[in-house]
Amino acid sequence: MKEILNGVNISIIGLGGNGQLASTLLSSLGAQIRLIDGDTVEQSNLQRQPLFDEDDLGMNKAETVYNKIKNRSINKKLSFVREYVDSSNINAILGNSDLIFEATDSFLTRELINEYAVMKKIPWIMTNSYGYFGEFMLIVPDETACLNCLTGGKRMIPLNCHADQISPPVPSTVSVMGTSLLLRYFQDRIKDENFYFYSATLMELQKIKVNKVKECRVCSELIFDKLNDTKFLGRQIF
């Protein structure tokens, strides 16, 4: 099992609650992991992001997670990028990725990643945690619906993180399930076509079949508004 992802380049974008456990799980399976986040550790993160402690406050999240995992893991194939992904740097950061695990709290960044993954045909996992709920979805370009097929380009609620109101167990649950989807695809080429919604209050997992949209602006028409927007920087469009 340890070598199942040997030689696979996985980029993990966002090192908060969702990204931390995914990083730990995937690095234990032999993958080459790139940790990406421009954010710093804050007091409010400590409740639900278990790799951080008070000594890490003010430190970059990607570098901090890198140091924690490298000190604990047999797998030393780790690197980190202390930047937010935006339209100007996305190719330099994600260019050699075989798989992408998205764990950001920005819907704009998520849309950008979707466009890049479709353009480069890179499979990716979308994850999101908010309150007592979580969401995740496997997206395989040309084979499953993309994020824009699901949202129609609209800023959907949920699908946005309310960072200071997250129940601590939710990110861990979403990370494990999202990682499982990724492994099922990588091992057995199972192209799961569902959007998953998890409720910690009901202890319930719902799945909704998402079909490719023939008129999808991104995966059908190949129009990449976010990639071509030179004003798209970090988490915001200015």
Side-chain angles (χ1 to χ4, degrees):
M1 178 65 75
K2 185 177 295 186
E3 301 300 320
I4 192 171
L5 294 177
N6 188 42
V8 180
N9 289 293
I10 301 179
S11 292
I12 300 177
I13 309 172
L15 276 304
N18 291 5
Q20 285 189 14
L21 182 54
S23 301
T24 304
L25 293 172
L26 292 169
S27 66
S28 70
L29 297 175
Q32 176 71 51
I33 303 293
R34 182 187 296 109
L35 307 169
I36 305 156
D37 201 324
D39 201 6
T40 55
V41 182
E42 300 176 1
Q43 186 72 42
S44 61
N45 301 148
L46 304 184
Q47 175 189 22
R48 63 185 182 278
Q49 299 176 13
L51 289 183
F52 298 147
D53 55 45
E54 291 193 346
D55 291 339
D56 302 318
L57 293 175
M59 304 296 291
N60 173 261
K61 288 185 177 180
E63 183 175 5
T64 303
V65 172
Y66 166 86
N67 288 327
K68 304 271 185 176
I69 294 178
K70 195 160 188 177
N71 289 337
R72 300 177 185 182
S73 175
I74 296 174
N75 178 19
K76 305 298 183 183
K77 295 178 288 186
L78 300 168
S79 62
F80 65 91
V81 178
R82 290 179 289 196
E83 296 182 52
Y84 294 118
V85 172
D86 61 43
S87 56
S88 68
N89 65 16
I90 188 168
N91 191 60
I93 293 176
L94 301 182
N96 66 340
S97 303
D98 299 312
L99 299 165
I100 298 170
F101 192 102
E102 181 272 327
T104 71
D105 57 6
S106 166
F107 194 77
L108 292 174
T109 304
R110 201 171 289 142
E111 289 179 314
L112 178 72
I113 293 166
N114 182 62
E115 291 184 1
Y116 186 78
V118 169
M119 183 178 72
K120 295 293 187 178
K121 303 186 186 306
I122 303 172
W124 69 289
I125 296 285
M126 181 278 291
T127 70
N128 183 42
S129 298
Y130 61 99
Y132 290 90
F133 308 101
E135 304 161 330
F136 54 97
M137 179 179 175
L138 169 69
I139 298 170
V140 183
D142 292 340
E143 299 182 47
T144 71
C146 78
L147 180 65
N148 194 70
C149 291
L150 174 67
T151 67
K154 298 178 181 178
R155 305 287 152 74
M156 296 179 66
I157 302 294
L159 281 187
N160 287 285
C161 167
H162 303 289
D164 294 329
Q165 303 174 21
I166 300 174
S167 175
V170 171
S172 296
T173 303
V174 170
S175 297
V176 169
M177 291 181 174
T179 301
S180 296
L181 271 187
L182 190 151
L183 289 175
R184 288 172 74 233
Y185 171 72
F186 185 79
Q187 286 181 272
D188 303 314
R189 287 298 184 263
I190 297 175
K191 296 183 287 290
D192 195 305
E193 298 180 273
N194 297 296
F195 172 78
Y196 287 87
F197 177 81
Y198 170 71
S199 169
T201 55
L202 298 176
M203 291 297 291
E204 182 176 272
L205 181 66
Q206 300 177 2
K207 62 180 182 179
I208 303 168
K209 175 72 178 298
V210 183
N211 295 315
K212 284 176 63 68
V213 176
K214 291 182 180 179
E215 299 81 17
C216 177
R217 185 174 177 84
V218 176
C219 66
S220 294
E221 299 180 9
L222 302 180
I223 298 172
F224 304 128
D225 295 320
K226 300 297 182 299
L227 283 175
N228 294 323
D229 188 344
T230 57
K231 295 179 292 184
F232 185 16
L233 302 171
R235 300 183 178 189
Q236 304 293 332
I237 291 182
F238 294 91

